[in-house]
Amino acid sequence: MNSEILKQRTKAYSVSIGQLIINLPYNIINKNYSNQLVRCSSSVGANYRAACRAKSTADFINKLKIVEEELDESMFFLELLAEFNPEKKDLILRNWKEGNELLSIVVASIITLRRNDQNRKS
């Protein structure tokens, strides 16, 4: 998968999360968890774009680690929202699955980059 496709997917993930949140009923739980989810899900795309502008392999890995953390946090808040909004569970699960796929891609990339970096140093 190339960087442009991943940029598109991370942006689409943020948009999909936004659409989900718009459709949630307003209450104090949804408000607070949704605020957190908007921040971390949009941070996924923003930080991936920053990673693509990294100055070195180490910088790229560090920025991808931020993407990894933000994806994990997004998935956590999706899980919480699913608990409080069982009627929206299918839509929430679709977003969780995309987050999990993106997380798998990012983690695999980090592992590969670290392995390649070690091989160059050996």
Side-chain angles (χ1 to χ4, degrees), residues 53 55 59 62 67 99:
R53 293 186 309 277
K55 305 292 186 249
D59 189 29
N62 286 334
V67 174

Side-chain angles (χ1 to χ4, degrees), residues 57 61-62 65 68 107-121:
T57 301
I61 291 170
N62 286 334
K65 291 296 290 175
E68 176 186 10
V107 169
S109 298
I110 291 168
I111 290 168
T112 300
L113 286 162
R114 284 182 173 159
R115 185 181 315 122
N116 290 348
D117 197 41
Q118 284 290 21
N119 288 343
R120 271 191 293 262
K121 292 177 181 177

Side-chain angles (χ1 to χ4, degrees), residues 4 10 15 20 24 32 45 47 76 83 88 101 117 121:
E4 286 307 311
T10 58
V15 170
L20 164 70
L24 290 177
N32 288 315
N47 282 295
F76 174 72
E83 293 291 324
K88 301 285 186 183
E101 282 183 31
D117 197 41
K121 292 177 181 177

Side-chain angles (χ1 to χ4, degrees), residues 27-92:
N27 60 51
I28 194 69
I29 295 290
N30 285 348
K31 177 182 181 273
N32 288 315
Y33 291 163
S34 294
N35 285 339
Q36 286 294 116
L37 182 55
V38 166
R39 285 185 195 94
C40 55
S41 67
S42 58
S43 185
V44 169
N47 282 295
Y48 181 73
R49 291 171 70 106
C52 291
R53 293 186 309 277
K55 305 292 186 249
S56 66
T57 301
D59 189 29
F60 187 59
I61 291 170
N62 286 334
K63 286 177 169 51
L64 282 183
K65 291 296 290 175
I66 295 168
V67 174
E68 176 186 10
E69 290 171 12
E70 297 295 342
L71 279 164
D72 186 59
E73 185 175 332
S74 296
M75 292 168 64
F76 174 72
F77 284 109
L78 285 166
E79 291 167 13
L80 290 174
L81 286 170
E83 293 291 324
F84 289 97
N85 299 276
E87 72 284 358
K88 301 285 186 183
K89 204 164 197 161
D90 289 342
L91 184 55
I92 293 169

